[in-house]
Amino acid sequence: MKNKLTRVMSVLLVLTLISTCAISGTFAKYTTGAEGEDAARVAQWGIVLTMDGDLFAEKYKTDDKTATVEYSVISNKEGEAVVAPGTTGDAFRATVKGTPEVATRYTLTIPAGFSDVVLPAGTYTDYTQLVKGDDGTYGYNNTFTLKKDYAPIKWDITVKKGDTTMSLTQAAAAYPALAAAMGGTADGFAATDAVTIVKQYGPQLEQLILKMVSGASNAQFEVDDKGNINLSLDFEANKEMDFEFALKWTWDFDDNGAGTNDKADTFLGNVAAGVVEEVPEGVKTNLAATFKATATQID
């Protein structure tokens, strides 16, 4: 009896184990595991801007091309800046350095309200020489006529990267008809015409600027609704920005032999000195401007 009972118990145990395996298999499930990690840091910005410059000069060169002597031009009022024929200088030098890890827009702005030296078109007294009048007395009896506004100070934009420098006048030389239409000279362009020039020739100027600034894209040269002149350039992430933008001004001597500029320059100088009793409307003898530079992440 004990042997039979043992055999029966053994059979039941085997059946139980088989049943357990079957149940275990029935309730099995798919399972897949994975484990990972990631890390990040703040993207680098690191752009450094500088700006300096002067709207006046203390020295000028004679129009004698062989002379090496420079002459002084000094205000008789302490602390007052002056400009005069023959002077030249940097209105501003703006540098931008850095390799940001984000797309960046660099913008140069000349806010509305800048002032330029201008003698409007018209007829004026010639103060360059005394002449004998019909009554036998000497005086400034002659006149001269300007057919268009005279703005003696010309401006040129230069961009420097390393040892390479490119100017707007150099770039514009490839487009002589366009430069002539914009009133360009060997020294640059008149600030008085800046708003008109940017509005009318903005797209062409944008292409000239892109030729000057390697690595830049999406140049925008425009006048906004408030009259501000804005030049902006985009740079892709990790693009090195190491440029110097400079705005140079020049009040050149008259070298065309006609002497008209001499007469206009002398008239402006006499207006500044208070010699001209009745100053014609529109005559301006002050030069003033504000320049702003910004670098922002493109959003």
Side-chain angles (χ1 to χ4, degrees):
M1 289 296 292
K2 288 183 179 181
N3 290 336
K4 289 182 179 181
L5 182 59
T6 300
R7 285 198 295 271
V8 171
M9 292 298 292
S10 298
V11 171
L12 290 175
L13 178 60
V14 171
L15 291 174
T16 300
L17 291 173
I18 293 174
S19 176
T20 300
C21 290
I23 293 173
S24 176
T26 301
F27 288 96
K29 59 183 178 181
Y30 294 116
T31 177
T32 302
E35 184 176 317
E37 62 180 24
D38 198 2
R41 59 171 170 76
V42 174
Q44 294 181 9
W45 180 242
I47 293 179
V48 176
L49 305 181
T50 66
M51 183 175 290
D52 58 30
D54 291 306
L55 279 177
F56 70 97
E58 296 179 347
K59 301 285 185 180
Y60 68 91
K61 291 183 178 181
T62 174
D63 59 355
D64 181 354
K65 306 302 182 183
T66 63
T68 58
V69 178
E70 288 189 335
Y71 298 90
S72 298
V73 49
I74 303 174
S75 172
N76 56 22
K77 296 181 180 180
E78 186 176 354
E80 186 177 55
V82 293
V83 293
T87 55
T88 185
D90 293 325
F92 80 83
R93 291 181 299 276
T95 64
V96 52
K97 291 187 177 182
T99 309
E101 294 178 327
V102 294
T104 304
R105 177 165 296 154
Y106 181 72
T107 303
L108 291 172
T109 299
I110 302 177
F114 63 85
S115 178
D116 192 15
V117 176
V118 180
L119 186 59
T123 299
Y124 301 94
T125 299
D126 180 4
Y127 288 104
T128 61
Q129 59 180 339
L130 282 170
V131 294
K132 189 175 183 179
D134 296 336
D135 59 359
T137 61
Y138 286 85
Y140 298 106
N141 301 316
N142 287 346
T143 62
F144 69 98
T145 299
L146 296 174
K147 295 183 179 180
K148 62 180 181 178
D149 293 357
Y150 175 63
I153 298 177
K154 307 301 180 183
W155 303 82
D156 194 12
I157 300 173
T158 62
V159 180
K160 181 179 180 181
K161 180 175 177 60
D163 296 328
T164 303
T165 301
M166 174 65 74
S167 70
L168 183 59
T169 52
Q170 288 175 316
Y175 307 89
L178 175 62
M182 293 189 295
T185 70
D187 296 314
F189 305 83
T192 305
D193 301 326
V195 172
T196 301
I197 289 173
V198 173
K199 285 183 176 180
Q200 187 170 353
Y201 300 104
Q204 291 93 331
L205 289 171
E206 290 166 1
Q207 294 306 310
L208 292 179
I209 295 295
L210 288 177
K211 289 179 179 294
M212 295 164 61
V213 187
S214 61
S217 63
N218 190 33
Q220 299 290 322
F221 207 2
E222 59 188 6
V223 179
D224 62 24
D225 295 338
K226 296 181 179 179
N228 304 316
I229 301 175
N230 300 306
L231 167 62
S232 67
L233 299 166
D234 290 353
F235 295 85
E236 297 179 358
N238 290 307
K239 181 71 70 174
E240 181 184 16
M241 301 171 65
D242 185 8
F243 298 94
E244 177 187 273
F245 294 83
L247 186 61
K248 180 181 179 181
W249 61 271
T250 302
W251 188 341
D252 204 358
F253 287 112
D254 183 21
D255 59 358
N256 59 17
T260 303
N261 289 5
D262 290 343
K263 297 172 183 178
D265 290 345
T266 303
F267 189 90
L268 286 168
N270 280 342
V271 169
V275 172
V276 181
E277 296 181 357
E278 295 184 8
V279 179
E281 184 178 356
V283 177
K284 300 178 181 179
T285 59
N286 290 317
L287 184 66
T290 301
F291 306 98
K292 296 181 179 179
T294 58
T296 57
Q297 179 182 352
I298 298 175
D299 55 18

